[in-house]
Amino acid sequence: MSYLTGARSGALRGRDKESDALRALVDRARAGAGGCLLLLGGPGAGKTALLDLAAAHAVTGAPDEQGFLVLRTQGVRGETHLPYAGLHALLRPIADRLDAADAALHADSVPAAGSGMLAEALRTGAGAGGLALPAALLRLLQTAGRPVLVCADDLQWLDAPSREAICFVARRALAVPVAVLLASAEPGTAPGDLPPLPLAPLDERASRQVLDDLVPEGLPGDLRAALVRAARGNPLALAELAGSLTDAHRKGSAPPPETPPRGGRLWRAYADRLRGLPADTADLVLLVAADPGIDAVTLVRAAESRSGLAALEAAETAGVVVESPDGGFDLADPILRHVAYAEASLARRRAAHRLLASLLDGVSVGEHQRLRRAWHRAAALDGPPDRLAEDLVRALAAAPKAAAFPEPFRVLERAAELTGQGEAKAARLAAAARYAWQAGQPQRARSLLSRIDTLAVGAEVRARAELVRGSLELRAGKTDSACDTLLAAAERLLRTDREQAVRALVRAGEASYLAGDNRRFLAIARRAETLRRPDDDHVTRLALEYLAGMAATFRGRHREATASLRRVATGVMVTPSAGSPSVLVWGGVANLLLGNGADALTLASRAVELARAHGAVASMPQMLEILIQAQLWSGRYDALAVNAMDGLRLAQETGRATSGAQHLAWLAFTAAVAGDEETCALRAARAVELAAAHGVSVAEALGTLALAHLDVAANRHADAVNRLRTVARTGDPLVVRVMATPLLVESAVRTGELAQARDALVMLDRWADSTRDPDRLALAARCHALLAPPAEAGERFTQALELHRQGACAFETARTRLLYGGVLRRSRRPGAAREHLHGALETFERYGARLWSEHARAELRAAGESVRPSGSRSEAGRLLTAQQFQIATLVAEGATNREVAARLFISPRTVEHHLRNIFARLGVRSRVELTRLLS
């Protein structure tokens, strides 16, 4: 299946650079000077699609241009031994010329001797050898009377005489109107002196686009992400995986396919490649497939048990086995690994696992090696199944968490398969589901849970399964059902596992928080309070304190909340809490509510690092949410945007709708700060839409807040007040209300709604006073300055700026200086005003805050200062929208349309649309002129 789709006609997803290179080669040949390119890529990489693109470009020139003669051939494994089979296919379109030349040769016509020699070779399969025949092919193409494109696919299967003749032409094509494109799946079979064009795997963005083209009705985010992971950037794998989907895959009741279908084109291509290996090399390849990342010592010992290192060398020479950066060995492609393992017989697979287990047997191996040994023994069925299952479980418990192979959920799934019916089997399936969920594979987790439903199990195992199910529902945005499921699981677990029961209560509280259901959160906190016991372990005590502190915060009892939250903030740094990402998140939230932005940033950063190290992909979006809030507290908007983009991607890949909505809202907020109205509106609308669909009021409030910030920046204060009335209501989260209040007070003062401004300020005053956070106290002081009589406003602003100097948020400091500068100007103190306005302008320009910069310039001009433009870049900034200016800047720095699209999270088509408008507004005609203008 071709992936000839994209923003422009005939574009290949993720192959802009390669497509441009091929078009340029064809255009050079059209102009009289050709050349050659050798496409290198494994099966399914898109070599044939690129040759198709070049051929299409060759025949679709301008009406007044001379048309190309396109000659194509393809190597066929079954014809490799037939001399000139490749040339026979290549020259078929001009067979009549060769037949005439053959007749002239037999009539002793000297001018036709070269073409006649070709015809004779194709007719008899025998050539004279040496230089004569390749030279005859070059002469034939030179005298075609028009430009020629030669495409030779699957060069590795082309017969030797044909390959040599075509490569002879390729080396001499620079001086003639002939373009030669060669494609090979095996670099070792291609001449090393021809210019290579290697095809790297498609990146994630291009892979997602290919899937979207293949499945226009769309796929669930977690399923799409699973297919992207399985394909590893191979376009054919994406097509075959998409084609293999069933209704069960789409509904999430079956785990997504991990390999292209057996018997498909890609599978057959890899199987053919493996069949050509010597027997000892094939056995070694199977060992690597059975233990990806196998260490060099074990692999060398395995090789010595066969034909020595020659077998390993042959595998490396064939490009099948490669050395990884950590010194281990793996197959060159994960799909190749699956094929190598599946194509081996059951007996060969068991023998390979048995050998690996014996090589890993010994007292000196580490815990990870013990897990690998238990895995291989279980795969070989080398012992009683129950004992093998127990060994797997014990080895996994002792293994390091960062071990990549075997994956924990596969270990426990295998242990469950080896376990007879009953409680132990169900417990292992529940544990496997938990690990699969944590690894960001929700569909596999749901599939494992469905297997428990068919078993007769007790209350505890059922509760553990429900804990995972509730967590899956929570991340999928089903907040109401998630809360019910988690509460039921907590009650069942209380007698047997208090720590997990209390953790379930925390997650149920999170579900009610996300839904904006404070009453239910308070009920959960009251239930948790009744569970306190003197002998609770450290983590359980922290969880209970966390719920108590959050509940007091929601009641507006900030001083009461402080004691519990401080115990959480300090307690999470004590071992073993410091090693748990989820517990560190509690500490991060506690510090945010205490106003300790720097400590919140430290804990959230540590939680993200640990989650990455442990492979806890499912929890990453939530960890990033807390990190983003901490970065917002300190005005680190650039880092915030990067993390929100990462969080949105991970949320989409792991099916976490609740988190995805929040990250979209944060991205809308950064667009609002930049003054990018179009992007802010699009992202906020999508965030609100997602939030409404899944009952996530937090994300809805954040999206509304972003739009309100934009309204204030654009002097639409009445609109801002209308939006912020909904955000500032009591039911919204404290952090959102704290962010909303300064904007609401400012806009309400501008619109004359002073009573509403004073009412909103009460909450900020109470909270800021309880935390003593200088940044929040500064914002409260700024609000009081706006509400104060003119005679008192200056003192209040001075107090706010002094508090800002003790804080960390430069952007909010600039906002205060802008407001104070305006007050000073209106008080006829232009000199004092200009000092603050210049400082504000410098900060806004550093942040790229276009609308706020315009405010500062307008105030400076009103204060009697002529604001000097900063050159053509400033002129462009005035003529372009914020997003257009951002696109223009990236293009001027050398970014391609696709790179700009990836940076700004928009489509390449949108980039092209904006570029046309940018060129028109700035009066430029090319990227070169744009670069000169902005440099």
Side-chain angles (χ1 to χ4, degrees):
M1 179 180 294
S2 172
Y3 59 114
L4 273 166
T5 51
R8 58 187 181 187
S9 176
L12 293 175
R13 297 292 193 188
R15 295 287 188 231
D16 282 359
K17 176 182 171 184
E18 294 86 351
S19 300
D20 290 344
L22 266 60
R23 291 191 186 95
L25 175 64
V26 171
D27 290 342
R28 288 199 302 272
R30 199 190 307 272
C36 168
L37 281 174
L38 171 60
L39 305 182
L40 295 174
K47 302 181 296 298
T48 303
L50 282 164
L51 295 182
D52 290 342
L53 181 143
H57 183 65
V59 300
T60 55
D64 58 337
E65 291 179 331
Q66 196 172 22
F68 264 77
L69 169 63
V70 177
L71 302 175
R72 301 187 67 165
T73 188
Q74 182 171 12
V76 179
R77 184 166 188 163
E79 296 182 359
T80 303
H81 64 289
L82 296 176
Y84 303 108
L87 281 181
H88 186 275
L90 181 75
L91 300 177
R92 190 181 308 161
I94 54 174
D96 54 341
R97 288 181 56 191
L98 291 175
D99 290 341
D102 188 33
L105 176 66
H106 287 87
D108 295 327
S109 174
V110 175
S115 297
M117 184 184 303
L118 273 172
E120 179 73 13
L122 298 183
R123 187 171 60 82
T124 65
L131 187 65
L133 192 139
L137 177 62
L138 177 61
R139 191 179 308 114
L140 176 70
L141 300 179
Q142 280 181 280
T143 57
R146 50 180 170 155
V148 180
L149 173 63
V150 175
C151 297
D153 205 353
D154 285 332
L155 197 66
Q156 72 276 10
W157 300 128
L158 214 58
D159 62 277
S162 296
R163 184 169 63 244
E164 290 168 3
I166 293 171
C167 290
F168 177 91
V169 172
R171 295 185 186 96
R172 290 157 178 80
L174 283 171
V176 293
V178 178
V180 181
L181 289 175
L182 311 175
S184 177
E186 298 178 14
T189 63
D193 60 334
L194 298 179
L197 184 61
L199 303 185
L202 300 180
D203 60 25
E204 286 190 18
R205 182 178 179 82
S207 295
R208 290 195 296 269
Q209 290 172 333
V210 170
L211 274 180
D212 292 343
D213 294 334
L214 292 165
V215 190
E217 66 272 21
L219 293 171
D222 52 353
L223 178 56
R224 184 174 69 159
L227 297 188
V228 169
R229 280 196 305 270
R232 305 283 180 163
N234 187 298
L236 180 57
L238 287 165
E240 294 190 340
L241 284 163
S244 71
L245 293 177
T246 65
D247 287 341
H249 291 133
R250 294 171 187 272
K251 292 175 183 175
S253 57
E258 294 185 296
T259 63
R262 193 164 187 167
R265 280 176 53 202
L266 192 56
W267 189 286
R268 292 198 309 271
Y270 278 128
D272 287 344
R273 185 175 179 184
L274 292 167
R275 286 191 197 101
L277 298 175
D280 285 342
T281 302
D283 286 342
L284 203 66
V285 167
L286 178 57
L287 290 176
V288 179
D291 194 341
I294 185 172
D295 61 282
V297 173
T298 305
L299 186 59
V300 169
R301 288 173 62 198
E304 289 172 348
S305 69
R306 280 163 166 70
S307 60
L309 293 179
L312 176 58
E313 186 177 352
E316 290 185 287
T317 302
V320 174
V321 171
V322 295
E323 188 173 2
S324 55
D326 61 0
F329 287 86
D330 201 349
L331 295 195
D333 186 324
I335 300 175
L336 178 62
R337 181 198 309 147
H338 287 295
V339 175
Y341 189 81
E343 285 289 307
S345 66
L346 177 60
R348 285 186 63 218
R349 291 202 297 264
R350 288 187 65 188
H353 285 295
R354 193 175 291 115
L355 173 60
L356 288 165
S358 68
L359 292 171
L360 291 166
D361 199 5
V363 295
S364 61
V365 297
E367 299 300 342
H368 179 226
Q369 283 73 15
R370 288 192 178 91
L371 176 59
R372 288 169 57 206
R373 182 180 62 202
W375 172 262
H376 290 305
R377 291 192 64 224
L381 292 174
D382 192 15
D386 286 344
R387 193 181 75 196
L388 294 173
E390 287 292 339
D391 289 346
L392 278 172
V393 173
R394 281 197 300 269
L396 178 63
K401 292 185 187 224
F405 173 83
E407 294 164 288
F409 74 85
R410 295 188 195 277
V411 172
L412 288 162
E413 185 177 12
R414 181 60 176 155
E417 290 167 354
L418 293 169
T419 306
Q421 298 296 316
E423 201 82 355
K425 184 182 188 74
R428 285 162 184 170
L429 285 171
R434 177 169 60 86
Y435 275 111
W437 167 66
Q438 290 173 344
Q441 300 198 34
Q443 287 189 306
R444 183 168 291 276
R446 284 192 288 268
S447 176
L448 290 163
L449 289 174
S450 68
R451 288 157 66 177
I452 299 175
D453 295 339
T454 63
L455 303 173
V457 297
E460 181 183 354
V461 173
R462 185 72 63 190
R464 291 186 186 280
E466 290 305 293
L467 179 56
V468 179
R469 199 185 307 275
S471 300
L472 287 165
E473 291 172 345
L474 172 59
R475 302 314 172 201
K478 301 173 182 177
T479 49
D480 287 340
S481 62
C483 193
D484 293 338
T485 304
L486 290 166
L487 287 173
E491 293 299 331
R492 291 194 185 105
L493 285 170
L494 276 172
R495 293 183 181 178
T496 56
D497 192 337
R498 280 178 56 77
E499 181 183 333
Q500 286 302 313
V502 173
R503 280 178 179 262
L505 285 176
V506 172
R507 285 186 197 163
E510 183 186 348
S512 61
Y513 163 80
L514 289 171
D517 190 346
N518 284 359
R519 289 185 179 180
R520 194 167 196 186
F521 186 97
L522 295 176
I524 292 169
R526 285 193 295 271
R527 173 62 178 132
E529 194 64 30
T530 67
L531 301 178
R532 287 182 183 267
R533 286 194 337 206
D535 60 342
D536 278 333
D537 61 55
H538 181 65
V539 171
T540 301
R541 287 198 304 273
L542 284 180
L544 294 171
E545 290 285 7
Y546 176 72
L547 286 170
M550 293 286 286
T553 300
F554 289 162
R555 293 189 185 100
R557 301 173 183 173
H558 300 301
R559 293 192 181 279
E560 177 186 328
T562 298
S564 291
L565 293 174
R566 280 183 178 154
R567 282 192 285 271
V568 175
T570 56
V572 297
M573 300 307 296
V574 177
T575 306
S577 307
S580 169
S582 58
V583 176
L584 289 174
V585 164
W586 302 343
V589 173
N591 274 299
L592 281 173
L593 295 176
L594 290 169
N596 299 332
D599 290 342
L601 189 61
T602 299
L603 289 174
S605 299
R606 178 61 179 154
V608 169
E609 290 171 7
L610 283 173
R612 287 190 198 279
H614 293 171
V617 181
S619 61
M620 284 289 296
Q622 182 196 14
M623 311 291 172
L624 288 169
E625 288 169 24
I626 308 306
L627 179 59
I628 285 167
Q629 291 186 32
Q631 288 168 334
L632 177 77
W633 242 226
S634 55
R636 301 184 184 186
Y637 298 145
D638 285 346
L640 186 160
V642 171
N643 284 320
M645 200 74 80
D646 195 22
L648 176 61
R649 177 182 61 80
L650 288 168
Q652 291 171 335
E653 291 178 359
T654 56
R656 296 189 58 163
T658 55
S659 193
Q662 290 197 60
H663 286 296
L664 269 171
W666 290 122
L667 287 169
F669 182 84
T670 60
V673 170
D676 187 344
E677 300 198 49
E678 181 182 359
T679 302
C680 177
L682 286 171
R683 289 172 174 170
R686 181 59 180 150
V688 170
E689 178 187 351
L690 268 176
H694 296 284
V696 188
S697 70
V698 175
E700 187 173 359
L702 286 171
T704 305
L705 179 67
L707 293 171
H709 183 107
L710 189 64
D711 287 335
V712 174
N715 275 329
R716 298 190 292 263
H717 292 287
D719 291 341
V721 169
N722 289 332
R723 293 188 200 277
L724 292 167
R725 280 196 184 103
T726 64
V727 174
R729 69 182 187 272
T730 306
D732 276 322
L734 174 68
V735 172
V736 180
R737 282 185 282 140
V738 167
M739 293 167 58
T741 298
L743 294 170
L744 177 57
V745 169
E746 181 177 346
S747 291
V749 167
R750 295 290 182 92
T751 57
E753 300 178 66
L754 302 185
Q756 182 170 357
R758 291 190 179 95
D759 289 344
L761 186 52
V762 171
M763 181 278 303
L764 179 60
D765 274 338
R766 188 184 299 131
W767 182 76
D769 186 57
S770 71
T771 65
R772 306 309 299 168
D773 171 35
D775 282 309
R776 277 357 92 184
L777 287 168
L779 293 178
R782 182 173 86 196
C783 291
H784 282 287
L786 291 170
L787 287 163
E792 299 176 16
E795 182 181 351
R796 293 282 195 171
F797 273 117
T798 301
Q799 178 189 6
L801 289 173
E802 178 57 36
L803 288 164
H804 275 308
R805 278 189 280 274
Q806 300 171 34
C809 189
F811 184 83
E812 289 299 340
T813 303
R815 292 260 292 111
T816 300
R817 297 189 78 176
L818 174 63
L819 289 167
Y820 188 26
V823 169
L824 290 170
R825 177 188 63 77
R826 290 188 291 275
S827 301
R828 299 184 179 181
R829 298 174 58 191
R834 287 195 291 268
E835 177 186 350
H836 289 290
L837 294 172
H838 274 299
L841 177 60
E842 181 181 340
T843 300
F844 292 144
E845 287 185 334
R846 191 169 68 248
Y847 274 85
R850 183 177 65 90
L851 293 177
W852 293 114
S853 297
E854 289 176 1
H855 278 310
R857 288 194 185 93
E859 285 287 354
L860 279 167
R861 284 192 290 271
E865 180 158 330
S866 176
V867 183
R868 183 174 59 86
S870 56
S872 56
R873 181 174 286 266
S874 291
E875 180 64 24
R878 284 193 292 274
L879 292 171
L880 303 177
T881 68
Q883 186 171 53
Q884 287 173 342
F885 185 69
Q886 200 171 9
I887 290 170
T889 302
L890 291 171
V891 169
E893 291 171 355
T896 66
N897 286 6
R898 288 192 177 278
E899 289 168 342
V900 173
R903 289 273 296 275
L904 301 184
F905 210 73
I906 56 179
S907 72
R909 182 175 297 175
T910 302
V911 175
E912 289 183 5
H913 169 75
H914 280 307
L915 272 178
R916 286 194 294 271
N917 292 333
I918 289 167
F919 285 4
R921 289 190 180 193
L922 298 184
V924 298
R925 294 173 295 177
S926 68
R927 289 171 178 255
V928 173
E929 291 184 11
L930 178 64
T931 302
R932 287 174 182 161
L933 179 68
L934 297 185
S935 64

